[in-house]
């Protein structure tokens, strides 16, 4: 049985061989990938966003170069960030396992599990030591952390090396907030799944490098590539190349400070359409005490009845209109939900029936829209233009850096 798997492994080892230059499909300095390893990573990445092989290869090269550069040149807290969801190590281990499973789908998992896996503390007993005590329900007390660090849940006793162990604290720290909370609430199933995943990971790595004929360097290169690709967007964010959706981006601060008023004005003149806004709308509306009446009124309007001829009981929507029936953007207060809703309503047909915060039912119709431009010296223009110009400068600085790193690196690609 074991011999059959060894023969299979020897045939498969060319997939990720680390030593033979003929098997190298992509390499960046001392990190190399076989074609099969590259294909597996490309297939996984393409499930998230479509890209051709050449584009993905260029991205891997840049990721590996920037990862090494960041490790030496950037403070770690700038590009690693805060682990809000699952720990970084959890994500990287899972992707490494998925990739190895793609490359080596057949291996003696059950046999290895019986031979090398040793029991640890029983799951239910372990979870009882970290039962939730805080209001938040997912933060361990210092005493709980110490206890969790001492509880070995699983042990791998491989020959000729020190045992590999998994503690309760390691499982806990790898989880998202929801996962931590679940563990502290005694989720035995979750803990069992995490323990099994860890055991399979350790067994797979040991078998591939000791009996599967795969060079340890090849696995290390694959792991390093996955790590680099995982952290690559975070490094770009730290450099200001990618803007965060929420909050400020520290990487853009120095570039914002370099943007001049002349640059802002020049950008405004060349991209004035970027600063167009909806200045006023012509709107009508009515408010009803019950939903059925509002729906009847809406249907009558859709059938061609005018607003003036509506017979259903209602009172007009309280909108700050001018004498000609226009609602101006600068007349809308932040607390005026109805006027804000009118500005968000597409022109043309009568809106659907909408429930108001007060419990009434509202219908609206916007029959006209007019746009204007923010003044060149407005705060809105200054903020938006500065942001765009700062990102452009950040991208230019990054392009210069990555081109320099590429020139200095030893690169090989058959893509």
């Amino acid at each position: 049985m074991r011999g059959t798997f060894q023969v299979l492994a020897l045939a498969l080892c060319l997939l990720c061989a680390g030593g033979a230059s003929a098997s190298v499909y992509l390499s960046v300095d001392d990190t190399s990938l076989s074609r099969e390893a590259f294909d597996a990573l490309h297939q996984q990445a393409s499930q998230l966003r479509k890209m051709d092989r050449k584009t993905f290869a260029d991205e891997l090269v840049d990721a590996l170069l920037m990862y090494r550069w960041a490790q030496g040149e950037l403070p770690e807290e700038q590009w690693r960030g805060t682990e809000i969801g699952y720990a970084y190590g959890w994500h990287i281990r899972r992707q490494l396992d998925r990739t190895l499973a793609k490359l080596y789908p057949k291996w003696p998992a059950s046999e290895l599990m019986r031979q090398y896996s040793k029991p640890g503390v029983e799951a239910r007993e372990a979870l009882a030591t970290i039962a939730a005590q805080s209001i938040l329900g997912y933060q361990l007390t210092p005493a709980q952390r110490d206890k969790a660090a001492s509880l070995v849940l699983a042990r791998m006793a491989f020959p000729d090396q020190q045992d590999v162990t998994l503690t309760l604290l390691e499982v806990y720290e790898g989880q998202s907030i929801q996962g931590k909370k679940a563990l502290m609430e005694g989720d035995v199933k979750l803990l069992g799944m995490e323990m099994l995943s860890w055991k399979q990971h350790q067994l797979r790595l040991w078998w591939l490098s000791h009996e599967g004929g795969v060079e340890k360097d090849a696995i290390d290169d694959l792991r390093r590539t996955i790590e680099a690709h995982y952290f690559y967007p975070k490094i770009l964010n730290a450099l200001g190349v990618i803007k965060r959706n929420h909050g400020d981006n520290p990487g853009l601060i120095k570039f914002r400070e370099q943007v001049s008023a002349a640059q802002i004005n020049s950008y405004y003149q060349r991209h004035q359409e970027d600063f167009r806004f909806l200045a006023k709308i012509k709107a009508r509306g009515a408010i009803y005490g019950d939903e059925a009446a509002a729906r009847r009124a809406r249907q009558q309007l859709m059938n061609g009845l005018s607003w003036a001829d509506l017979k259903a009981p209602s009172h007009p929507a309280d909108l700050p209109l001018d004498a000609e029936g226009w609602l101006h953007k600068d007349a809308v207060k932040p607390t005026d939900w109805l006027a804000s809703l009118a500005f968000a309503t597409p022109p043309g047909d009568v809106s659907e029936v909408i429930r108001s915060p007060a419990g009434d039912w509202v219908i609206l119709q916007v029959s006209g829209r007019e746009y204007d431009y923010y003044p060149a010296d407005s705060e809105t223009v200054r903020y938006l233009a500065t942001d765009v110009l700062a990102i452009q400068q950040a991208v230019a600085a990054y392009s210069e850096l990555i081109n320099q790193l590429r020139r200095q690196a030893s690169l090989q690609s058959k893509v």
Side-chain angles (χ1 to χ4, degrees), residues 49 59 231-252 256 387 390-392 394-395 398:
R49 53 189 175 95
E59 186 171 287
F231 283 112
Y232 182 50
K234 300 179 185 298
I235 295 169
L236 295 183
N237 180 77
L239 296 177
V241 177
I242 298 178
K243 185 182 178 183
R244 291 175 179 169
N245 292 328
H246 305 287
D248 198 9
N249 188 333
L252 285 176
R256 285 197 187 103
D387 221 34
I391 292 174
Q392 290 177 353
V395 170
Y398 167 75

Side-chain angles (χ1 to χ4, degrees), residues 59-277:
E59 186 171 287
L60 283 187
V61 169
D62 290 353
L64 284 162
L65 292 173
M66 291 305 301
Y67 186 46
R68 177 166 293 181
W69 176 85
Q71 288 176 310
E73 301 295 332
L74 277 183
E76 194 171 275
E77 62 272 12
Q78 286 188 16
W79 56 273
R80 286 183 69 94
T82 303
E83 295 179 323
I84 298 176
Y86 287 98
Y88 301 146
W90 186 93
H91 287 286
I92 292 165
R93 192 191 83 202
R94 291 299 176 99
Q95 186 177 357
L96 177 61
D97 284 343
R98 287 195 300 269
T99 308
L100 292 174
K102 178 75 174 177
L103 295 172
Y104 307 98
K106 296 182 179 180
W107 60 292
S110 299
E111 182 181 345
L112 293 172
M113 189 74 75
R114 289 192 300 268
Q115 187 170 358
Y116 299 121
S117 176
K118 306 303 176 184
V121 179
E122 196 271 335
R124 197 175 303 277
E125 176 186 344
L127 290 177
T129 67
I130 61 169
Q133 295 182 13
S134 69
I135 297 176
L136 294 178
Y138 65 88
Q139 293 181 341
L140 297 179
T141 66
Q144 285 177 323
R145 293 186 67 85
D146 291 342
K147 184 64 177 178
S150 70
L151 293 178
V152 175
L153 301 172
R155 183 186 304 273
M156 290 294 160
F158 297 120
D160 303 324
Q161 70 177 58
Q162 187 176 357
D163 288 358
V164 184
T165 60
L166 174 70
T167 68
L168 177 57
L169 184 62
E170 289 173 312
V171 175
Y172 169 85
E173 290 187 329
Q175 297 298 301
S176 63
I177 291 177
Q178 292 82 359
K180 291 176 179 176
K181 189 173 185 294
L183 290 176
M184 296 182 73
E185 292 174 349
D187 193 331
V188 175
K189 183 179 179 180
L190 172 60
L191 182 58
M193 292 172 56
E194 292 296 327
M195 290 167 58
L196 179 60
S197 174
W198 178 86
K199 290 177 182 180
Q200 291 176 335
H201 174 76
Q202 298 299 331
L203 289 169
R204 193 193 304 272
L205 292 182
W206 185 87
W207 181 79
L208 287 174
S209 60
H210 289 79
E211 297 186 4
V214 179
E215 294 286 344
K216 184 177 182 299
D217 286 347
I219 298 175
D220 290 341
D221 285 356
L222 182 58
R223 179 190 286 109
R224 187 180 304 113
T225 303
I226 290 171
E227 286 181 1
H229 196 243
Y230 179 83
F231 283 112
Y232 182 50
K234 300 179 185 298
I235 295 169
L236 295 183
N237 180 77
L239 296 177
V241 177
I242 298 178
K243 185 182 178 183
R244 291 175 179 169
N245 292 328
H246 305 287
D248 198 9
N249 188 333
L252 285 176
I253 292 177
K254 68 175 181 179
F255 294 108
R256 285 197 187 103
E257 293 173 346
Q258 297 170 8
V259 175
S260 67
Q263 289 175 310
I264 293 173
N265 186 64
S266 175
Y267 183 85
Y268 178 80
Q269 299 303 326
R270 290 181 288 113
H271 302 90
Q272 194 168 1
E273 285 301 309
D274 294 349
F275 303 99
R276 193 175 77 138
F277 70 97

Side-chain angles (χ1 to χ4, degrees), residues 310-382:
L310 277 180
K311 296 180 181 179
S314 68
H315 58 275
D318 186 17
L319 296 170
L321 306 177
D322 66 13
E324 297 179 350
W326 288 96
L327 175 61
H328 295 257
K329 186 71 173 179
D330 55 12
V332 177
K333 298 178 181 179
T335 56
D336 191 341
W337 73 272
L338 186 58
S340 298
L341 178 63
F343 266 91
T345 299
D349 292 340
V350 182
S351 72
E352 294 294 333
V353 176
I354 302 164
R355 185 76 179 270
S356 76
D360 295 320
W361 300 90
V362 179
I363 53 174
L364 292 167
Q365 185 174 31
V366 174
S367 58
R369 281 182 164 188
E370 289 193 7
Y371 292 83
D372 202 350
Y373 297 89
Y374 289 109
D377 59 351
S378 67
E379 181 63 21
T380 299
V381 168
R382 187 198 66 79

